[in-house]
Amino acid sequence: MTSTAPDLPVSDRLREQHGSALALGADCDLPDDLVIEIDPGAHLTIGDRVSIRRGSTIQVHRGATVAIGNDVAIGEHTFISAMAGIRLGDGAALSNMVDLHDHNHRERSSTHVTTGQLVPWASGFEAAPIIIEPGAILSNKVSVTGGVRIGANALVGANAVVSHSIAPDTIAAGVPAAARRHFDGAAVPFIDDRRTLTVGFFGTSIMEHLEAFNTQLVDQANLPEVGSKVTVEGWHQRGWVHRLALSLRAAWPYVTFNVKNHGEGGATSRDIAGIVDSDRTANSFDYDLVFLGCGINDVWRRFQGRMSEAVGIEEYAGHMAGMLAQLSGSSRRIVVVSETPFGPIEAPKTVAEMNAELVRYNEAAAKAAAEHGALFLDVWSPFTAAARQLASAPSAHEPASVWSDGVHLTELGDTVLLQQTERFLAEHRIVDRLLDYPRLERDRALQIYGPMLAGWRPEVA
């Protein structure tokens, strides 16, 4: 540490003390007793016109980054400590005695403390970024834990403990902090690091759901005349997966959903296991959420007499276990979706036999999901109920079916799946929980989250 003259202005003293590890903007109002600790390989950026009041401390531990935007106000006796990264967006405000810790001790388990050493740091630390978006305000004595993102313009009430992410334009309070109401927020600068969730789908044509496409057919100002002909220009994926993607984007407009639909028409579990393997071999990204569903073609092929393509129940269970094991290593949450039943494609007796067999496959899927920590979404009962009740409607009512051909689904069938999936996601609060950044072992957190904050730090010697 370099010794500095006590009569230097605070900004000059800090620049001399920390050198290139500190980037300090213009016209900042900093107290004489501000404590800044920057470990080797760490970096602190403070923007222009930042105000920090007396008694505050900023710790940036080894390799971590703290980035404070322009026009940020930080109150008295505030404590900011980072092992992964903390960012305060432009115009954000922290009132007095706010505490931001992006890390915590890991549990003192035999896995983490192999030597039995009885010191507080023996178990190591886990960390995840704290992101406070532009215009957010944290009132007195608010504590924020690692992995939390607080949205633009959010207002967090005094004494709250923010352990889960808060949406933009939200008033939150309590322990743990929860949304009390939402409001029409003021405009904020473009947020160039929006929260992104990657969602994968692996399944059959029920997930793939191809639809013929022609540009003119969807141009309301230039629709083709009745009786005219148009050319199929390509295929789009539609169905319940497409509609769920739209629903997610509408419900969480401040989140980017990166949807990857790997559904394939006619695929058995044998085929889908190959798709999962190829995807995990070729792609380095992780999934936040995965939907996995198959089995209908495994059963159907046997009843079609295509025995070389049919997949028996034991092989099917093996494929499900293998796929779940692969996906578990690179996915935060997996939802196994049951297959929908067969409709009237054969003689009633044959359809009943097919569905009885398909039930066994769904039961095997539910068992595999439980063994691998995945959730199981059973759409069979609501789907059969909708099909039965629609079939019993009087002839004067508009005819409708959940199937287009006894296997593939109509828009109505897709809507049943959509509603069940939306209800399931809401019941388990899956998306809300995925908005938190996962807390990882300290060095792993630096590796994974470092690129998020790289734009706010120069190269550190």
Side-chain angles (χ1 to χ4, degrees):
M1 182 179 295
T2 304
S3 62
T4 57
D7 56 347
L8 279 177
V10 176
S11 57
D12 291 342
R13 172 172 60 82
L14 292 172
R15 289 189 182 99
E16 183 174 330
Q17 180 180 1
H18 297 289
S20 62
L22 171 66
L24 181 56
D27 300 322
C28 292
D29 180 12
L30 308 177
D32 291 335
D33 65 349
L34 174 63
V35 175
I36 291 180
E37 302 171 358
I38 307 176
D39 287 348
H43 191 269
L44 169 62
T45 292
I46 299 177
D48 298 334
R49 300 173 301 280
V50 170
S51 172
I52 302 178
R53 311 316 297 164
R54 64 181 180 176
S56 293
T57 298
I58 301 174
Q59 293 179 335
V60 196
H61 295 278
R62 169 182 52 83
T65 302
V66 171
I68 299 173
N70 300 324
D71 303 297
V72 170
I74 297 175
E76 296 180 0
H77 302 288
T78 288
F79 203 102
I80 298 173
S81 182
M83 282 189 179
I86 295 175
R87 183 173 66 79
L88 308 183
D90 293 350
L94 311 181
S95 193
N96 301 326
M97 292 178 280
V98 168
D99 183 277
L100 307 182
H101 264 73
D102 74 349
H103 56 279
N104 205 345
H105 293 268
R106 296 191 297 179
E107 61 190 27
R108 282 185 53 84
S109 66
S110 57
T111 301
H112 297 152
V113 186
T114 57
T115 63
Q117 189 179 19
L118 197 58
V119 294
W121 52 87
S123 60
F125 295 86
E126 60 181 14
I130 293 173
I131 306 296
I132 299 177
E133 294 185 359
I137 298 175
L138 278 60
S139 303
N140 287 346
K141 300 182 181 178
V142 168
S143 295
V144 182
T145 63
V148 165
R149 188 176 185 114
I150 298 177
N153 297 323
L155 174 59
V156 182
N159 300 302
V161 176
V162 186
S163 54
H164 293 290
S165 296
I166 303 294
D169 308 331
T170 299
I171 294 177
V175 180
R180 303 303 186 188
R181 68 179 179 88
H182 303 281
F183 56 89
D184 185 12
V188 296
F190 174 74
I191 297 173
D192 56 3
D193 65 336
R194 280 166 59 95
R195 187 71 173 100
T196 297
L197 297 181
T198 300
V199 185
F201 294 84
F202 295 90
T204 66
S205 57
I206 293 174
M207 286 189 182
E208 182 186 40
H209 198 123
L210 293 179
E211 177 181 87
F213 173 78
N214 177 283
T215 306
Q216 194 176 358
L217 287 173
V218 295
D219 184 354
Q220 291 296 310
N222 188 32
L223 293 173
E225 294 183 4
V226 175
S228 63
K229 295 182 179 180
V230 296
T231 302
V232 173
E233 297 175 349
W235 301 92
H236 280 178
Q237 289 181 321
R238 288 295 185 261
W240 75 271
V241 171
H242 171 70
R243 295 171 68 181
L244 177 62
L246 295 178
S247 177
L248 292 173
R249 288 165 181 148
W252 289 272
Y254 50 93
V255 178
T256 295
F257 289 92
N258 181 19
V259 176
K260 298 184 179 297
N261 188 349
H262 303 285
E264 183 172 298
T268 63
S269 62
R270 189 183 299 147
D271 302 316
I272 298 167
I275 293 171
V276 169
D277 185 64
S278 297
D279 176 74
R280 293 297 77 205
T281 301
N283 296 312
S284 60
F285 60 82
D286 290 344
Y287 291 100
D288 294 287
L289 175 62
V290 165
F291 290 89
L292 172 64
C294 57
I296 194 166
N297 289 315
D298 299 50
V299 173
W300 195 14
R301 295 295 176 261
R302 178 160 66 84
F303 282 86
Q304 290 177 313
R306 297 161 62 175
M307 303 308 294
S308 63
E309 300 172 48
V311 178
I313 186 71
E314 291 184 3
E315 182 185 350
Y316 169 80
H319 289 315
M320 288 297 297
M323 288 187 286
L324 287 168
Q326 275 189 293
L327 292 168
S328 295
S330 56
S331 308
R332 296 174 60 194
R333 175 56 77 189
I334 302 174
V335 177
V336 177
V337 185
S338 76
E339 292 288 64
T340 52
F342 292 101
I345 54 175
E346 303 285 352
K349 182 178 178 181
T350 304
V351 172
E353 292 175 358
M354 293 165 67
N355 280 332
E357 187 70 3
L358 190 53
V359 165
R360 295 178 60 225
Y361 283 67
N362 280 341
E363 290 171 347
K367 181 181 178 182
E371 291 173 348
H372 288 82
L375 296 173
F376 185 72
L377 170 55
D378 188 355
V379 299
W380 184 282
S381 295
F383 198 88
T384 54
R388 181 178 65 253
Q389 291 155 12
L390 288 167
S392 65
S395 56
H397 287 233
E398 180 180 0
S401 174
V402 292
W403 295 283
S404 60
D405 59 2
V407 176
H408 302 95
L409 308 183
T410 62
E411 286 191 341
L412 190 57
D414 282 327
T415 302
V416 174
L417 261 64
L418 174 67
Q419 290 180 338
Q420 293 303 310
T421 306
E422 289 177 326
R423 185 176 294 119
F424 190 84
L425 292 175
E427 177 184 340
H428 293 274
R429 297 189 64 243
I430 290 174
V431 176
D432 286 333
R433 288 171 175 162
L434 289 174
L435 293 179
D436 300 337
Y437 296 100
R439 288 187 287 272
L440 307 172
E441 186 277 327
R442 177 182 181 176
D443 289 334
R444 178 67 172 160
L446 286 172
Q447 177 187 357
I448 296 299
Y449 298 121
M452 286 178 53
L453 294 159
W456 283 273
R457 59 181 287 164
E459 291 295 326
V460 179

